[in-house]
Amino acid sequence: MAHKDDAQQAVPKTPGMRTDGDGDGRRRPLRERHVEETVEVAVPVRTAYNQWTQFKTFPRFSTVVRGVEQIRPTVTAWTIGYGPLRHRFAVEIVEQDPDAYLAWRGLEQNPSHQGEVEFRPTESGGTAITVRMLLEPQGAARILTRSSGAARLTARLVRGELMHFKHFIEGLGQEGGAWRGTIRNGRVQHDRPEPPRSRVAQWPVG
């Protein structure tokens, strides 16, 4: 039975934010984490990044992702599960740098999580993809998350999903789409500022 969480639910301020000299809010890599896994894929960084940002294709290679729905430019709703069990939750992209970095946070209160993925070129011309996750459950679930067994299980799952992505993109050889936008503090950054709206009253017609 599916469990749906409100994508608009209020969440606490995301930790780890800093403000650079240009005023942009940029997030530091996670210092505290429960999971960190890396896999190398035999495609260029641009190809790996472009395919990763096609979130709706995750069910094509993932063993746990059943569906991804775009709610807003920076918010997606993910449905995961095994067999008949389903869990739906919203995720917000808080920072995104093309070909380099993507950070997100869960918009559910219990449990909550945040994570990041980095893309780095390798000497062989491929890409090293690193995923880090920090789980922040509430109540009794916090104790379970801190246990080494839970951390190992989550790491094993993330590692498996990275390997599935590796086989998927290497089998394709090229990305199936791309989104090249930049996100700062949960907002899409535009290359050019939008022109101001005209305040001149419309002339009467007729």
Side-chain angles (χ1 to χ4, degrees):
M1 180 177 179
H3 173 72
K4 295 185 178 181
D5 296 305
D6 186 2
Q8 305 297 332
Q9 192 172 13
V11 295
K13 183 179 179 181
T14 303
M17 300 296 295
R18 73 174 186 270
T19 300
D20 289 345
D22 57 3
D24 287 337
R26 301 191 179 188
R27 180 175 170 175
R28 295 187 180 94
L30 290 173
R31 294 184 177 181
E32 180 184 359
R33 64 191 71 107
H34 289 108
V35 173
E36 179 173 344
E37 294 291 332
T38 300
V39 68
E40 292 190 10
V41 298
V43 297
V45 167
R46 186 181 180 92
T47 300
Y49 173 87
N50 284 348
Q51 186 61 52
W52 187 279
T53 58
Q54 299 301 292
F55 302 125
K56 290 186 177 181
T57 67
F58 270 61
R60 294 178 58 185
F61 63 84
S62 172
T63 58
V64 295
V65 179
R66 301 308 180 198
V68 182
E69 178 185 358
Q70 192 79 41
I71 305 299
R72 297 197 300 273
T74 61
V75 177
T76 51
W78 295 66
T79 300
I80 64 174
Y82 289 101
L85 300 177
R86 295 289 185 273
H87 177 61
R88 188 175 187 268
F89 59 94
V91 167
E92 179 188 29
I93 303 298
V94 295
E95 184 174 348
Q96 188 164 337
D97 291 313
D99 301 334
Y101 184 74
L102 186 153
W104 73 89
R105 64 175 178 176
L107 294 183
E108 53 181 355
Q109 290 287 355
N110 187 20
S112 183
H113 73 284
Q114 56 181 301
E116 62 189 9
V117 55
E118 290 183 327
F119 302 83
R120 303 183 307 278
T122 64
E123 294 182 356
S124 62
T127 306
I129 304 175
T130 298
V131 172
R132 302 182 188 92
M133 292 181 63
L134 174 63
L135 306 178
E136 299 178 301
Q138 305 297 320
R142 184 186 299 271
I143 299 176
L144 296 176
T145 305
R146 287 179 175 176
S147 69
S148 59
R152 286 196 300 269
L153 179 61
T154 304
R156 188 183 309 165
L157 177 62
V158 172
R159 177 69 179 177
E161 294 295 273
L162 281 173
M163 292 302 297
H164 292 317
F165 178 78
K166 169 184 171 69
H167 297 150
F168 178 71
I169 187 58
E170 289 181 350
L172 290 177
Q174 60 183 9
E175 62 269 41
W179 189 79
R180 306 290 302 175
T182 298
I183 296 174
R184 291 282 180 267
N185 199 24
R187 295 184 179 184
V188 177
Q189 303 296 296
H190 300 283
D191 293 336
R192 297 180 180 177
E194 296 182 0
R197 295 183 179 180
S198 174
R199 296 184 180 274
V200 179
Q202 294 182 354
W203 291 100
V205 178

